[in-house]
Amino acid sequence: MRYEDNRGFAAAQDRADPLAEYREQFNFPLERNGRAPIYLCGNSLGLQPKLAVQYVEEELRNWKNYAVDGHFHSDRPWISYHRQCVAEFAALTGAKHSEVVAMNTLTVNLHLLMASFYRPTQERYKIVIESQAFPSDRYAAASQIRMHGFDADEGLLEWSPRDGDTRLYTEDLAAMLAEHGNSIALLLLPGVQYYTGQVIDMGKVCELGRTHGCKVGLDLAHGIGNVDLELHDWAPDFAAWCTYKYLNAGPGAIAGAFVPERNSSPENLDQLHGWWGHDEATRFKMAKSFTPAAGAELWQMSNPPILSLAPVVASLKVFEEAGLAAIRKKSKKLTGFLDWLVTARFGDQIGTITPADARGCQLSLVVKDKNINAKGLFDKLCELNVTPDWREPDVIRVAPAPLYNSFDDVFEFVERLTLALSELSH
Ligand SMILES: *Cc1c(COP(=O)(O)O)cnc(C)c1O
């Protein structure tokens, strides 16, 4: 694709964009200092879909009007409310319907799934994470190791980028497994690295895990709604994701989990149980014995918080209508335009650590020119009502989200970046 550095080019792209109308379906943050917002932080918290407001209001009304009867007698009965997420979770992750479930929050799901799939022995007890793992994943893995009576410092192995590089190479993971594979119980790895934006070769990671007899768990916080996923075919032992980043379901919204068919047979009762994991048909007989639900629902524990699930259902409707293929197609152009513009204007001063051949929406920018204070630049951008995000020590992450960001947003971002740089040097 050929790009041009002018607003007319961006406007022409927006006119030709089949997803352009979706922008209207979202609420944007307020103007500041007379400037419209340039929101590029959908990798951290996606914007509010107008439909989410409607769905939450409907459930508040159902609660008011029906009280306990809302469980069975409202438009979308609460008893099966979570099932409204199934079809689109399955579509977005490349899974079967029986393999996905909406429940809890991300780190909680990682723990519950590790309770089932991290079952260390004296010989095989280590967990591989990546060296720049999101802190919550690291804490979760280390605490699991400790809970099983092992030493976390020794039990945690790190897959690291090479010296002077930020990219993760699957060859290096393969080498690590060739050397230590027999002592490794679990690979707990991201689909998309949150800091660099690198898309990991998830199929290859799963294959490596299988070859060496290790379980594989994928954290798809930055993957879902962003890049193509084929969980059923890749066949990790579990996966989990949050829904407030690219999925736009709101702060702390209910998360998702994947357990492949082969891991959820009713004879296998290695889960921590609660009544929502009991077969729904007989749940309310309140029996003393546990009858497992089929598929990933077996991992459910509690009746879900409907008010935190409503925006997930709403947001997934928007994804279902737009379709991930179209979203991904636009995303490649949009992030490509951003990368091209930044390089064309500031190639000497600003670079990116995000690999062009393995990325989703996000670009992680780094200031190369040591005369420019990176944090100062970030603060200037915020003053100009741009919302990127800052990651220590020197990364500015920007992620145009194809459902609501336009090519003009990208162009305007680069205009404000130009202004911020010129103000900094005065
Ligand atoms: C965003 C994110 C989390 C956040 O965890 P919560 O349990 O939702 O607070 C965890 N891990 C990764 C990799 C993330 O990107």
Side-chain angles (χ1 to χ4, degrees), residues 110-112 114-115 118 127 139-148:
L110 291 177
H111 273 301
L112 293 183
M114 280 194 274
Y118 173 60
I127 301 181
Y139 306 153
S143 62
Q144 285 278 338
I145 294 170
R146 273 194 301 274
M147 288 282 282
H148 284 280

Side-chain angles (χ1 to χ4, degrees), residues 347-363:
D348 297 336
Q349 297 153 301
I350 297 175
T352 171
I353 54 172
T354 309
D357 61 348
R359 70 184 178 202
C361 298
Q362 177 182 325
L363 269 193

Side-chain angles (χ1 to χ4, degrees), residues 335-351:
T335 297
F337 186 40
L338 174 63
D339 190 14
W340 183 87
L341 274 177
V342 170
T343 309
R345 287 204 196 181
F346 318 108
D348 297 336
Q349 297 153 301
I350 297 175

Side-chain angles (χ1 to χ4, degrees), residues 12 48 84 195 198 364:
Q48 182 181 71
Q84 296 174 80
Y195 186 85
Q198 179 187 347
S364 302

Side-chain angles (χ1 to χ4, degrees), residues 106-107 134 136-137 194 219 221-222 242 244-245:
L106 172 54
T107 308
F134 194 93
S136 203
D137 300 46
Y194 82 98
D219 184 330
H222 283 258
C242 53
Y244 48 80
K245 292 171 179 168

Side-chain angles (χ1 to χ4, degrees), residues 43-44 104-110 130 132-138 189-195 219-223 240-245 252-253 255 391 397:
N43 54 342
S44 191
N104 312 310
T105 46
L106 172 54
T107 308
V108 171
N109 285 341
L110 291 177
E130 37 107 11
Q132 299 303 317
F134 194 93
S136 203
D137 300 46
R138 175 184 291 270
L189 295 169
V192 177
Q193 213 286 341
Y194 82 98
Y195 186 85
D219 184 330
L220 302 175
H222 283 258
W241 53 88
C242 53
T243 58
Y244 48 80
K245 292 171 179 168
R391 285 288 175 266
R397 300 190 307 175

